[in-house]
Amino acid sequence: MTTRSCPCGLPGPYEKCCGRYLPRSRTRSAGGTPIGAAAAPTAESLMRSRYCAFVRQDAGYLLRTWHPRTRPARLDLDPGMRWTGLEVLDTTGGSAFHTTGTVTFRASYRGGSLYERSRFERVDGAWVYVDGDVLDA
């Protein structure tokens, strides 16, 4: 068994980094929550785990961690998209002591990059993605 580093760019294996937040199986609790997935404790950790979900083409996780008022009905991911790296540039708020936060990041993909400031809020105690502004490089 090989240990791969986490796609989010932090040191350490995926399983001990963002893999803690993405479900490890399709099994669900009686309430519909995937079993084996911990809640991301900060807005930045949620953003990093969502990046990993894009890398892994996990639309279900992306939709579950999207604010209900801004969440699309469905998400069609491009299977040809190859994400190649993440750089977190700035964070405001988003800790265990906040109810809102922002994360500014650059996500690279084959052929370009996305530079965005994302907004996050807590809903029922859990961090969720609200929306983001694409910034000029």
Side-chain angles (χ1 to χ4, degrees):
M1 177 178 212
T2 60
T3 302
R4 293 184 296 170
S5 61
C6 191
C8 84
L10 290 178
Y14 168 78
E15 293 77 21
K16 293 186 181 211
C17 191
C18 294
R20 297 178 291 166
Y21 310 125
L22 280 83
R24 291 188 265 297
S25 71
R26 300 285 181 210
T27 308
R28 297 183 178 276
S29 69
T33 303
I35 293 175
T42 66
E44 180 181 338
S45 61
L46 179 65
M47 193 280 309
R48 287 179 179 278
S49 71
R50 285 175 55 85
Y51 172 82
C52 289
F54 276 104
V55 169
R56 298 170 65 87
Q57 299 279 306
D58 189 341
Y61 180 78
L62 293 165
L63 290 169
R64 282 191 302 281
T65 58
W66 210 310
H67 197 291
R69 90 171 170 261
T70 58
R71 178 189 310 133
R74 60 183 270 182
L75 189 60
D76 295 319
L77 300 175
D78 178 357
M81 178 66 99
R82 295 293 176 252
W83 295 98
T84 59
L86 176 67
E87 180 183 9
V88 172
L89 303 169
D90 188 39
T91 62
T92 59
S95 77
F97 303 105
H98 297 103
T99 56
T100 63
T102 64
V103 179
T104 304
F105 66 91
R106 179 172 288 108
S108 300
Y109 55 88
R110 194 177 311 152
S113 66
L114 170 67
Y115 180 36
E116 181 177 307
R117 181 174 301 113
S118 295
R119 283 179 282 284
F120 298 87
E121 291 181 10
R122 283 187 187 265
V123 172
D124 297 329
W127 286 106
V128 292
Y129 170 79
V130 177
D131 60 17
D133 295 321
V134 175
L135 305 171
D136 293 330

